[in-house]
Amino acid sequence: MNKSVEILVVGGGPAGLAAAAAAKEAGVKAEDILIVERDRELGGILNQCIHNGFGLHTFKEELTGPEYAQRYAEKVQAAHIPYLLQTIVVDIRTGDGKDKGVCGTKYVTAMNKQEGIFTVEAGAVVLAMGCRERSRGALNIPGYRPAGIYSAGTAQRYVNIEGRMPGKEVVILGSGDIGLIMARRMTLEGAKVKLVAELMPYSGGLKRNIAQCLDDFGIPLKLSHTVVDIDGKERVKGVTVAQVDENRRPIAGTEEYISCDTLLLSCGLIPENELSAGLGVELNPVTAGPVVNESLETNVEGVFACGNVLHVHDLVDYVSEEAESAGRNAAEYALRRKPETGQGQQRAEKESAEICDMADAGRSAEAKIQDGLAVDGDEAPNSAAKQGSGIAVKTGRGVRYTVPSVLRPQYMQEEQVIRFRVGEVCREVELVVYFDGAPVMRMKKRIMVPAEMEQVKLKKENIEKHPGLKEIQIAVEQA
Amino acid sequence: MKTENGKSKMEGAATELVCIRCPIGCMVTVAKRPDGTWDITGNTCNRGAEYAKKELTDPTRIVTSTVRLRNGAQAVTSVKTKSDIPKGKMMECMAALRDVELEAPVRIGDVALANVAGTGVDMVVTKSVEKVG
Amino acid sequence: MYDAIIIGAGVSGCAVARELSRYEMKVAVLERASDVCEGTSKANSGIVHAGYDAEPGSKKAFLNIQGSRRMEALSEELDFPYKRNGSLVLCFEESDREKLQELLERGRKNGVEELRILEREELTKLEPNISEEAVAALYAPTGGIVCPFGLTVALAENACVNGVEFHLDTEVQSVEKMEKGYRVESSKGVFESKAVVNAAGVYADAFHNMVSAKKLQITPRKGEYCLFDKTLGDYVSCTVFQLPTKYGKGVLVTPTVHGNLLVGPTAEDIADKEGVNTTGDGLEDVLKRGGYSVQKIFAGKVITSFAGLRAHEAGDDFVIGEPEDAEGFIDVAGIESPGLTCAPAIGEYVAELVRKRIPAAKKTDFIAKRKGIPSVALADEAQRREFIRKNPAYANVICRCELVTEGEIMDAIHRPVGATTLDGVKRRTRAGMGRCQAGFCAPKTVEILARELGKDMAQIRKNAGESTFFAGYSKEG
């Protein structure tokens, strides 16, 4: 199979579905869109998130994950947008205008059992691959390597899809939302959850999950604690938990052995950007997701990103919202790129030099990821320059990252959402927006926590009142 | 297992709880005055006040779980209580699900178990699963 | 009656098995684990040592050179990943140059070819990310890297194809001298054999001491490692060792043959022969010492850590051969570093010892060549199309990080001495070896294992004993 589409969406989870549906609504024909999903059904990870609490913003009701997924899947199906299941994208590359294809066109290579290996040509690509969980190995937890250590999401799949219990006596490391949800889920299914240990002095999960998943069942949460040893040569027999100091190092003498047959890990999510990196997309070392502009477009022209592959979200509602925006922008790009005659190639070749310069710039991004390694987390890149002329959005005090990180006013919507997260729990603070160093907005916040995504909305008209604006900074300051 | 927040029942004493009606998660301080009126602070909206009062007088939860599925594309399908049920009934509700086995296909909204644990609330399917084989 | 029983299906046992399979002999390998390559062979540096380390005249020195010279041809014959990437021994102090020179001379005495000293300028040209403290280095272009699982599995498969029996989950409990030959009692019954090859790794002393009055003691010497993401696979190109410094014996920093970066090992004598746990102190030490060799250690890019046990014998050399008082019982004991390198040579050497006791003719139908599992990750598009044409399951990606397909996993299960466990599949296909460490693919691999082996998922194990994944079903109470 070889085909050509205007927009190819990688991933059929909540982000991919919303992006595809929005692209259709923005004027791209359904048959010019293709969603490629690796699993056997649409909906992504929501299919195993059977708890409620999804959709309060989007649908004004509390849905479970599968119900939320179904709404978007039905939307895509009703719009007759084609999708491939159990199909994996193995490579995306951009044509070079020479022997490697039409300049600017994206060549997406995928595989599945029915069609084998095939390449789809796309005008625009929406990256919506989601994220994965941090592994035991990445956490470098010492001890034996027995069976019985699962990421919370793997355990969730076993319980909620396969109907299998991963264990009966459970310790959970990390208070991310999936871990909290699984604490309740395992308890309801008869397991004993002995402890949730959290390395940081604050929880990584939403407050309501702590209330409903731990407090309701009397499950203790120990902040500033971590697992320092795993016991058990074949199956987990127990773990040693210790308190950590302000540098997150275990404090000698605080060790406590807890017998258990299962250790669940809920220690953070990492955007899945292997494909993006291969394509030359520049990544932000803080989010591990692409650096994007106001259109959620990466440094590779015509490649957009949304959802957890861009930055890890707290609520799916925001994923959908962001993905719709990416889908609309991809549609606009595709429609702009496609000349009225339908002779895409001629037009593409005309722009060849320009676009291919961009692509060349993109190719160096893989090296940048390497550079980013040294950062180990705390400093956001200032890559506005690479996005061409635009207003740089920079992180001020207390702000870990922003999405997007550059705004081009001519492409902005009337209202531009800037999403970000704070680095630590802050109470009674002001969120301040600076235009070239001058404060233009101040918003009082009673509390801001790292577990929750924050946003500010900027009006296009306000930005247009500041011609020549170079930099917008977002900061959290004491009120 | 602590199913009720015993301390919070004490009239007059202030209780702190996290409002879960929306993702903001306000820390609400609630106390019932001797005259029967409420003293509630920390909430940013009216739903917070309602939630705090409810948590003190009649806490309820939506229960989500799975039930076994015959001939389905997956071994189980997910279910939820169609509306919230008394918090104290959660485990009874779970126990009732043990004996339920549905036959694929199932559709979102199908009743998996009516009037679960005598609550008057139905347990409904939340994931459509096709029949296989 | 067997001609030879080999205790232990590690790299040494499998190498001996493969060499013996050239002859008209009835040979069985008894392994207590659920798979081959489950002990020391699975947790080591994966290095093909050039051979400058060992004491001239020792068995280690002789077998190292022989093994190192044979590895490349063997990798072609048996189709396992091997690369001659060269090795460096860094010297950090001008005052230590003497030691570097000694090492060079020892290497030359041992017969290592192309050895030479690199000065800093040349060193940094070869390795731009090398530590600024390094003043010079011994360069051994013949040093290499190998996939220890690939090597061991290839040897086992080829031995099996040529008629050697593999009895897994079969723990030897006792070895007893009979009038003629040996009686080997195991958890799966009694085996009688004319000869016994004791390749039991850290337990080799136990079996040796059952038949010989001249006692042997093997001390498990733990080595801890950290494995890094593939984005760092070319951070160094050579295997970088350190001269022993005031901080103690050094650790190595090396690319692996699969393109990861590996740092380790520590060296700690322990009492527990099952003590393959990593420790907080050990891992910290690995990262710290590794940092001496290169400009930066990216702790945030560790994808997993592990520990292995070297089978250390007090005499500091391999113990290979018959004890005086146990004719037909052949020790392959104390096989610590450079044991992996030596395996091809050990196989031949021990096979000769066995043949001295059990004369046997060469097989005329010996199959020398073995083809590994086709790798989708390494294949080009045309090859991929070909794999998929033969089996559409080769288009179904199970492990995304390492691009491993259902077809490869099915192949791993159905090959001779095939995988029956999650770790067995991992070692044969690399499913689960990537940066997500099986978080995504483990459930799918377990499902495929169950399906292909006709078992329930609950019966599938991670590796040994009770290492199952489930505690029953939900809704059981």
Side-chain angles (χ1 to χ4, degrees):
Chain A
M1 183 184 94
N2 278 301
K3 55 185 298 188
S4 170
V5 296
E6 289 302 329
I7 298 180
L8 187 136
V9 180
V10 188
L17 294 174
K24 163 96 192 305
E25 279 164 21
V28 178
K29 285 189 209 147
E31 64 268 28
D32 285 337
I33 305 172
L34 177 64
I35 303 171
V36 181
E37 165 57 37
R38 72 184 181 208
D39 218 331
R40 63 177 179 224
E41 59 185 338
L42 295 174
I45 214 70
L46 283 178
N47 285 314
Q48 67 182 49
C49 300
I50 65 163
H51 52 283
N52 60 311
F54 299 91
L56 276 166
H57 291 238
T58 314
F59 299 111
K60 308 296 172 214
E61 59 179 309
E62 244 188 292
L63 301 174
T64 63
E67 290 171 311
Y68 189 98
Q70 173 111 342
R71 299 237 173 150
Y72 276 92
E74 278 172 359
K75 211 169 166 179
V76 160
Q77 284 154 346
H80 303 289
I81 297 171
Y83 56 90
L84 294 169
L85 299 176
Q86 291 183 293
T87 305
I88 195 138
V89 173
V90 289
D91 182 53
I92 309 173
R93 61 181 182 82
T94 311
D96 62 356
K98 295 165 203 150
D99 53 338
K100 297 246 173 69
V102 177
C103 193
T105 296
K106 278 77 195 171
Y107 296 86
V108 181
T109 306
M111 305 203 300
N112 67 29
K113 272 186 175 177
Q114 290 70 42
E115 289 155 281
I117 188 163
F118 56 92
T119 298
V120 182
E121 289 178 21
V125 166
V126 178
L127 304 172
M129 293 89 80
C131 58
R132 64 165 182 270
E133 297 171 280
R134 203 178 295 277
S135 72
R136 182 245 169 123
L139 297 162
N140 222 359
I141 306 170
Y144 287 93
R145 302 199 297 157
I149 305 166
Y150 304 91
S151 69
T154 303
Q156 189 179 45
R157 179 194 155 111
Y158 281 141
V159 180
N160 293 347
I161 306 281
E162 320 261 5
R164 308 257 183 175
M165 286 295 278
K168 293 287 187 195
E169 290 199 318
V170 185
V171 169
I172 301 177
L173 175 62
S175 57
D177 287 312
I178 317 168
L180 300 176
I181 292 289
M182 284 313 292
R184 173 175 64 187
R185 184 77 187 102
M186 298 281 288
T187 304
L188 285 174
E189 288 292 351
K192 170 79 186 158
V193 178
K194 293 187 158 180
L195 173 70
V196 177
E198 168 60 55
L199 179 69
M200 303 303 284
Y202 51 82
S203 164
L206 299 173
K207 290 182 204 85
R208 64 167 169 171
N209 285 336
I210 293 180
Q212 288 211 335
C213 299
L214 302 187
D215 297 350
D216 272 6
F217 300 95
I219 298 168
L221 168 64
K222 285 192 175 177
L223 299 175
S224 296
H225 276 71
T226 193
V227 171
V228 294
D229 197 21
I230 298 171
D231 182 29
K233 288 165 185 174
E234 294 171 356
R235 176 82 198 195
V236 173
K237 280 186 182 159
V239 297
T240 303
V241 172
Q243 199 182 331
V244 297
D245 63 20
E246 62 276 14
N247 299 318
R248 303 181 215 166
R249 294 183 61 87
I251 301 169
T254 63
E255 297 88 356
E256 182 194 359
Y257 183 87
I258 303 171
S259 70
C260 59
D261 61 14
T262 304
L263 173 65
L264 298 191
L265 303 173
S266 181
C267 304
L269 301 167
I270 305 165
E272 291 255 30
N273 275 295
E274 282 69 21
L275 279 174
S276 328
L279 173 62
V281 168
E282 184 191 353
L283 302 181
N284 177 333
V286 177
T287 58
V291 174
V292 293
N293 62 23
E294 76 300 319
S295 305
L296 305 175
E297 184 185 22
T298 69
N299 63 311
V300 180
E301 192 183 299
V303 175
F304 299 79
C306 55
N308 283 348
V309 80
L310 178 55
H311 57 140
V312 174
H313 293 58
D314 53 349
L315 295 183
V316 72
D317 303 72
Y318 298 140
V319 168
S320 302
E321 196 181 294
E322 182 178 274
E324 280 160 10
S325 168
R328 272 194 306 272
N329 295 335
E332 272 172 34
Y333 172 85
L335 295 171
R336 202 163 66 225
R337 185 176 178 272
K338 190 183 183 181
E340 278 155 35
T341 56
Q343 299 290 314
Q345 192 157 341
Q346 282 177 14
R347 156 79 192 268
E349 275 165 10
K350 212 168 67 188
E351 289 183 352
S352 182
E354 213 182 320
I355 297 173
C356 282
D357 282 351
M358 285 283 296
D360 282 340
R363 255 171 237 128
S364 65
E366 214 159 353
K368 284 188 202 98
I369 301 164
Q370 287 253 8
D371 292 345
L373 292 169
V375 176
D376 269 344
D378 282 319
E379 192 185 321
N382 294 312
S383 54
K386 295 172 199 108
Q387 293 276 359
S389 59
I391 303 161
V393 183
K394 295 208 168 165
T395 57
R397 193 189 316 166
V399 175
R400 292 192 61 226
Y401 72 86
T402 65
V403 169
S405 51
V406 65
L407 304 179
R408 300 171 302 173
Q410 68 270 34
Y411 293 107
M412 273 175 68
Q413 303 293 318
E414 289 313 309
E415 194 173 64
Q416 175 72 45
V417 181
I418 311 278
R419 301 183 202 276
F420 64 94
R421 285 197 194 231
V422 294
E424 56 184 7
V425 178
C426 350
R427 290 173 199 278
E428 304 304 335
V429 287
E430 269 188 341
L431 180 61
V432 190
V433 178
Y434 292 92
F435 280 9
D436 282 340
V440 292
M441 279 170 83
R442 286 182 185 275
M443 285 149 282
K444 283 206 184 336
K445 293 275 178 180
R446 288 188 51 225
I447 185 164
M448 297 174 91
V449 296
E452 290 173 27
M453 215 168 70
E454 303 283 346
Q455 62 178 44
V456 286
K457 289 179 176 168
L458 302 178
K459 289 216 160 22
K460 186 179 182 177
E461 56 182 43
N462 287 342
I463 289 176
E464 284 171 343
K465 281 181 202 154
H466 293 77
L469 180 60
K470 287 198 172 55
E471 183 184 304
I472 296 171
Q473 193 185 50
I474 304 194
V476 176
E477 296 175 2
Q478 286 306 314
Chain B
M1 192 183 71
K2 196 169 75 180
T3 53
E4 299 284 345
N5 193 338
K7 210 171 38 178
S8 66
K9 292 248 162 170
M10 282 169 58
E11 286 198 358
T15 300
E16 279 203 328
L17 48 86
V18 176
C19 175
I20 59 161
R21 280 291 149 91
C22 86
I24 293 172
C26 294
M27 181 66 81
V28 183
T29 308
V30 54
K32 198 168 187 180
R33 296 193 194 95
D35 65 0
T37 58
W38 293 90
D39 181 12
I40 301 173
T41 54
N43 53 312
T44 40
C45 72
N46 203 27
R47 290 198 303 165
E50 281 168 23
Y51 172 75
K53 279 190 248 175
K54 196 159 190 314
E55 276 295 282
L56 257 67
T57 53
D58 173 29
T60 60
R61 297 289 183 264
I62 283 178
V63 175
T64 61
S65 185
T66 52
V67 295
R68 280 194 291 272
L69 189 61
R70 257 194 315 269
N71 303 321
Q74 44 183 78
V76 295
T77 192
S78 54
V79 293
K80 69 174 181 185
T81 53
K82 204 166 179 185
S83 60
D84 45 355
I85 63 166
K87 190 173 151 185
K89 285 275 192 182
M90 279 196 290
M91 290 321 264
E92 210 179 312
C93 168
M94 286 300 295
L97 291 177
R98 266 179 227 152
D99 303 323
V100 178
E101 188 172 25
L102 302 180
E103 175 81 30
V106 289
R107 291 280 161 255
I108 286 180
D110 289 356
V111 175
L113 183 60
N115 184 21
V116 63
T119 56
V121 174
D122 292 346
M123 206 86 199
V124 294
V125 169
T126 57
K127 184 171 192 330
S128 302
V129 181
E130 297 306 322
K131 186 184 172 75
V132 292
Chain C
M1 178 74 102
Y2 287 86
D3 290 309
I5 290 284
I6 299 166
I7 306 175
V11 71
S12 301
C14 291
V16 173
R18 197 249 175 175
E19 286 308 315
L20 288 179
S21 74
R22 294 175 187 275
Y23 303 97
E24 298 287 353
M25 280 188 196
K26 187 169 154 70
V27 180
V29 179
L30 310 187
E31 169 56 53
R32 75 184 176 124
S34 55
D35 194 8
V36 304
C37 199
E38 271 283 2
T40 304
S41 304
K42 78 171 174 190
N44 55 70
S45 312
I47 301 301
V48 179
H49 291 269
Y52 46 75
D53 260 326
E55 201 54 46
S58 65
K59 281 203 175 68
K60 276 185 185 173
F62 166 71
L63 293 166
N64 188 337
I65 297 294
Q66 296 302 316
S68 164
R69 284 183 189 155
R70 274 167 220 201
M71 197 64 86
E72 185 158 15
L74 190 65
S75 75
E76 282 159 17
E77 193 168 62
L78 296 182
D79 194 19
F80 59 84
Y82 161 82
K83 188 182 172 190
R84 182 161 294 201
N85 66 323
S87 61
L88 292 166
V89 184
L90 300 185
C91 170
F92 298 100
E93 307 272 347
E94 287 298 336
S95 56
D96 277 347
R97 276 179 179 276
E98 221 171 278
K99 288 188 206 160
L100 207 60
Q101 194 62 36
E102 273 171 35
L103 208 52
L104 172 79
E105 278 155 27
R106 197 194 305 168
R108 285 185 177 154
K109 222 175 263 178
N110 286 345
V112 183
E113 286 145 8
E114 300 171 61
L115 276 181
R116 63 193 173 96
I117 307 275
L118 299 187
E119 289 306 321
R120 174 152 185 91
E121 196 186 342
E122 208 180 340
L123 176 62
T124 50
K125 241 180 241 166
L126 184 66
E127 295 290 356
N129 295 317
I130 212 75
S131 158
E132 275 154 30
E133 308 288 316
V135 296
L138 175 67
Y139 179 42
T142 59
I145 45 181
V146 66
C147 172
F149 326 124
L151 168 59
T152 309
V153 168
L155 290 166
E157 283 185 9
N158 189 244
C160 181
V161 162
N162 285 302
V164 173
E165 296 171 17
F166 279 81
H167 299 263
L168 303 172
D169 283 310
T170 304
E171 183 167 4
V172 173
Q173 286 146 346
S174 69
V175 183
E176 212 181 310
K177 237 186 282 189
M178 302 188 303
E179 201 168 322
K180 253 193 158 185
Y182 290 85
R183 183 177 189 277
V184 178
E185 210 171 292
S186 83
S187 59
K188 294 274 176 75
V190 174
F191 296 78
E192 289 186 353
S193 179
K194 292 177 192 158
V196 170
V197 174
N198 174 23
V202 289
Y203 290 97
D205 53 350
F207 300 119
H208 169 98
N209 295 343
M210 287 175 190
V211 299
S212 172
K214 200 182 161 211
K215 300 302 178 195
L216 201 62
Q217 195 192 345
I218 304 290
T219 306
R221 182 169 285 177
K222 188 193 286 190
E224 301 185 36
Y225 293 87
C226 290
L227 185 74
F228 293 76
D229 192 274
K230 280 185 170 175
T231 47
L232 289 173
D234 55 3
Y235 194 63
V236 292
S237 65
C238 293
T239 300
V240 182
F241 297 89
Q242 303 164 346
L243 271 183
T245 65
K246 58 188 170 194
Y247 306 112
K249 193 178 181 298
V251 303
L252 62 84
V253 177
T254 185
T256 69
V257 80
H258 295 288
N260 295 89
L261 186 76
L262 181 68
V263 182
T266 55
E268 184 197 359
D269 287 351
I270 60 170
D272 183 0
K273 291 190 172 184
E274 304 290 315
V276 291
N277 55 319
T278 54
T279 62
D281 290 347
L283 297 178
E284 200 175 311
D285 200 41
V286 164
L287 297 178
K288 191 179 84 187
R289 285 172 194 273
Y292 298 149
S293 289
V294 287
Q295 283 175 13
K296 188 167 167 62
I297 286 285
F298 302 95
K301 287 280 154 180
V302 171
I303 63 167
T304 191
S305 52
F306 59 89
L309 301 179
R310 310 169 184 86
H312 178 69
E313 203 277 325
D316 220 15
D317 199 0
F318 297 157
V319 178
I320 301 182
E322 282 178 358
E324 285 165 18
D325 54 352
E327 191 174 292
F329 183 93
I330 296 157
D331 282 316
V332 186
I335 311 298
E336 56 185 333
S337 178
L340 187 71
T341 311
C342 297
I346 288 175
E348 288 179 25
Y349 184 81
V350 174
E352 278 314 301
L353 296 179
V354 174
R355 282 185 64 229
K356 272 188 197 152
R357 294 290 170 214
I358 327 275
K362 271 206 165 185
K363 279 179 190 160
T364 51
D365 56 351
F366 175 72
I367 301 161
K369 275 193 100 68
R370 170 254 185 196
K371 193 82 196 110
I373 298 169
S375 165
V376 169
L378 300 177
D380 63 24
E381 200 168 312
Q383 288 170 314
R384 285 178 183 175
R385 282 183 205 285
E386 185 57 21
F387 298 159
I388 294 164
R389 195 185 56 77
K390 284 185 186 153
N391 180 1
Y394 272 84
N396 184 23
V397 174
I398 301 297
C399 166
R400 235 162 347 89
C401 302
E402 295 291 315
L403 201 71
V404 182
T405 64
E406 185 185 358
E408 288 155 270
I409 294 170
M410 289 163 68
D411 199 355
I413 295 166
H414 295 299
R415 291 174 80 86
V417 207
T420 60
T421 62
L422 186 70
D423 284 357
V425 168
K426 178 172 91 172
R427 283 192 293 271
R428 285 168 180 79
T429 64
R430 295 191 57 75
M433 290 243 188
R435 50 177 67 100
C436 95
Q437 287 287 299
F440 174 74
C441 65
K444 294 181 175 205
T445 307
V446 169
E447 198 181 315
I448 296 169
L449 273 162
R451 184 190 74 205
E452 296 298 313
L453 297 171
K455 289 182 172 176
D456 185 85
M457 277 170 38
Q459 295 170 281
I460 302 301
R461 294 178 293 172
K462 180 174 188 288
N463 43 51
E466 303 299 311
S467 63
T468 53
F469 295 99
F470 305 112
Y473 293 86
S474 59
K475 299 290 170 298
E476 280 182 339

